[in-house]
Structures are given as C-alpha cells and as structure tokens.
Amino acid sequence: MSVLPELSEKATYVERMFARIAPGYDRVNRVMTFGMDQGWRRQMVAMIAPPVGGNALDVGTGTGDFLPELAAWVRDGLAVGADFTVAMMAAGQPKIDDLAAQGRAGFVGADALSLPFPDNSFDAITTGFMLRNVTDIHVALAEMYRVARPGAMLACLEVARPRNPIFRFGHRIYFEGVVPWIGQLLGGDRSAYTYLPQSARNFPPPEQLAAMMRAVGWQHVSYELVGLGAAAIHTGAKV
C-alpha cells in the first residue's frame, strides 16, 4: 500500500515524518545501509575538497552527519547544516557541540527551496538523500547553485536503482520489504520507512538528475554509482 502524499501535502508530511523519527534516525540509517552511508559521506567530501578557509553548506542536513566531515576540511571556516525539521537538527546537536563551541559548525532552520543565504556564500555544498523529499528538484538545485561561490563544488548523494537485474530485484525486496520492518523495530515507525523506499520509485535516474543539474547551471557534472548501484554520488561545479 502506498503512503506517498499528494504533492501539495508533501512538505508538511515530510517535516512531520522526520520529526517523528528523529530520535532513532541515525540508528536505523546505520543498520539500513550496513554503515556504508558514513563512508559515502567521507568519499563525497573528499571528492569536492572544500578549501581550508572556506565556508561549507549541507542542505537537508538532518542530524548533521556531513558537518564533522566538512568541518575537518574547512578548519579555518564554517560548516553550516540547513534543514526545515528542527527535531532532526536537535537530535544531531551532540555531534557538533565541540565544533559549535569553537565557532566552526552550526545548524540553521531553512527550506531547501528558499535558502536564507546571500548569493555566492559557500565554497562547497553537500546534500544527502534530500532531493527525493522536496516538491521541486529543479528549484532546490537552483538554490544551491545560487548560494555557491564561483569555483564551488556540489556533491549530491541520492538513491538509485542497481542496473544488474539480480541486484535490482534483491534491492527492491530489501528496500521495500525489509527496511520498513527495520524502521519499526529500531525506530518505532514503520510508515516512515515505508514512505522512504517508495519515494525512490519516481526519483530521476542518475543520468536524468545529472541533466537537471546542468539545466540550472552546474557544470562539469558527473556521477559515480555506489552500494552496488543502490545510490549515486553526483558532483558539479559553479564556474
């Protein structure tokens, strides 16, 4: 049974859903991805190599998994995590307490479709598993382009479907059949972890997402499949 909301209700549904699952989100994520998501994030940040004195932004930051990685690169700058679900950022605050005390990282309440930052503000931008939850992917990509400085790099981690038919079948069984039970056992909310796999069904494939990035201005766009093709890392530059 589908739990996908109507487009007009999607933003409210997503915000409330993530607020409900915030306390157990990290635990479920680690189990659901077999811990691979952490390695993907490290890989992404290394791919865009944020400058030491620059400012970095993570859009749809959730509990802030990207912020310690970004802060390690921008040692003399600032790593900012932006999300519209306050409960998720509150759950992730302990991850950045030390960095926040040093003025090196912080959270900001923000809508990915209308980021509260001036043009040309950031030297590096990341986003992970966020675009499938917005109501307009083009607008979100354009907003990230707007706030990026010339020379800045974007790295985007999103769901994909394995190209190997056997892997694709196994991935669907796991993602749509097993993951909701993991969510119920560890996070107490099966409906949320039913929505998350279903939201991937209509998400653009990697080639189409790359074209969408180019359409709003990102250049030198490329992508790499990870997790046996279950996810893709896209990168692009603002020149």
Side-chain angles (χ1 to χ4, degrees):
M1 179 181 296
S2 175
V3 298
L4 296 178
E6 296 294 328
L7 186 62
S8 61
E9 302 170 350
K10 185 172 182 178
T12 299
Y13 178 92
V14 168
E15 194 279 332
R16 290 176 178 172
M17 178 196 70
F18 278 111
R20 290 199 315 271
I21 66 176
Y25 181 78
D26 285 343
R27 180 171 60 251
V28 177
N29 239 21
R30 297 297 96 80
V31 173
M32 184 172 65
T33 67
F34 303 101
M36 291 187 293
D37 63 302
Q38 293 176 302
W40 296 338
R41 288 182 173 87
R42 286 192 294 270
Q43 178 182 347
M44 288 171 62
V45 176
M47 288 168 74
I48 62 174
V52 172
N55 294 324
L57 172 66
D58 182 39
V59 182
T61 194
T63 60
D65 272 345
F66 270 112
L67 295 187
E69 301 294 335
L70 291 169
W73 283 78
V74 293
R75 295 187 299 274
D76 299 325
L78 177 66
V80 177
D83 202 290
F84 77 159
T85 304
V86 174
M88 289 286 280
M89 294 184 287
Q93 185 61 41
K95 296 178 187 177
I96 66 164
D97 275 342
D98 290 344
L99 292 168
Q102 301 169 38
R104 297 179 54 208
F107 287 119
V108 173
D111 184 341
L113 304 186
S114 183
L115 294 171
F117 308 110
D119 297 356
N120 306 317
S121 295
F122 295 97
D123 303 279
I125 299 177
T126 57
T127 185
F129 301 123
M130 181 275 293
L131 287 176
R132 64 190 164 128
N133 294 315
V134 302
T135 56
D136 194 319
I137 295 172
H138 279 99
V139 172
L141 291 170
E143 272 293 275
M144 288 186 274
Y145 184 82
R146 178 185 66 79
V147 302
R149 288 179 180 146
M153 292 284 293
L154 165 69
C156 170
L157 174 64
E158 264 300 345
V159 293
R161 288 172 287 280
R163 292 175 175 174
N164 181 292
I166 296 175
F167 290 158
R168 188 184 308 123
F169 177 75
H171 172 258
R172 180 166 184 176
I173 294 297
Y174 174 73
F175 205 33
E176 298 188 12
V178 177
V179 164
W181 287 105
I182 294 175
Q184 181 172 333
L185 290 171
L186 299 181
D189 194 320
R190 185 178 179 183
S191 65
Y193 290 96
T194 299
Y195 158 81
L196 291 170
Q198 289 182 357
S199 70
R201 286 184 188 173
N202 298 320
F203 190 76
E207 297 86 352
Q208 186 177 342
L209 182 58
M212 295 169 77
M213 290 174 62
R214 295 185 187 101
V216 301
W218 294 103
Q219 298 188 35
H220 308 303
V221 175
S222 63
Y223 68 87
E224 176 180 337
L225 297 176
V226 295
L228 300 176
I233 298 172
H234 286 70
T235 56
K238 181 174 181 175
V239 299

